[in-house]
Amino acid sequence: MIDNNIPNKEYESITVKYPAGILEFPTAYITHLYEPNQNNVVVALGKGNTLFISTQNSDGAGGYYAVWTVENYLVKSLFVLRDF
């Protein structure tokens, strides 16, 4: 989310490496997410082969949380919380 500014950065890619290969996130799961902050990334392991990847991003004024769910090495969902 950007407040009265042109975005400076946008996600180019997200890659997850796992024992059997590499998962490259589909473009639909990273489009329109701006000002990524690599220092605010958390990865949590759920049951089975489920990963939760979360990040808090901001341009300094506006911000949002993004949480991706990866099951069996496929991106299943993206949840974005804005205006917190």
Side-chain angles (χ1 to χ4, degrees):
M1 177 175 207
I2 303 300
D3 286 339
N4 299 320
N5 228 342
I6 297 172
N8 293 316
K9 299 177 194 173
E10 183 175 6
Y11 279 92
E12 190 173 302
S13 67
I14 297 176
T15 303
V16 175
K17 295 180 183 180
Y18 60 97
I22 297 174
L23 165 64
E24 185 75 29
F25 277 41
T27 304
Y29 288 100
I30 59 173
T31 301
H32 305 298
L33 297 176
Y34 302 104
E35 305 309 318
N37 186 336
Q38 295 178 359
N39 296 323
N40 291 333
V41 177
V42 176
V43 178
L45 181 60
K47 293 181 182 181
N49 285 328
T50 302
L51 287 176
F52 300 97
I53 302 170
S54 66
T55 185
Q56 178 185 2
N57 300 317
S58 174
D59 69 344
Y64 65 94
Y65 287 99
V67 180
W68 294 271
T69 302
V70 178
E71 293 178 355
N72 296 316
Y73 310 111
L74 296 172
V75 181
K76 293 295 185 174
S77 66
L78 167 62
F79 174 78
V80 177
L81 174 64
R82 301 181 194 276
D83 300 325
F84 54 88

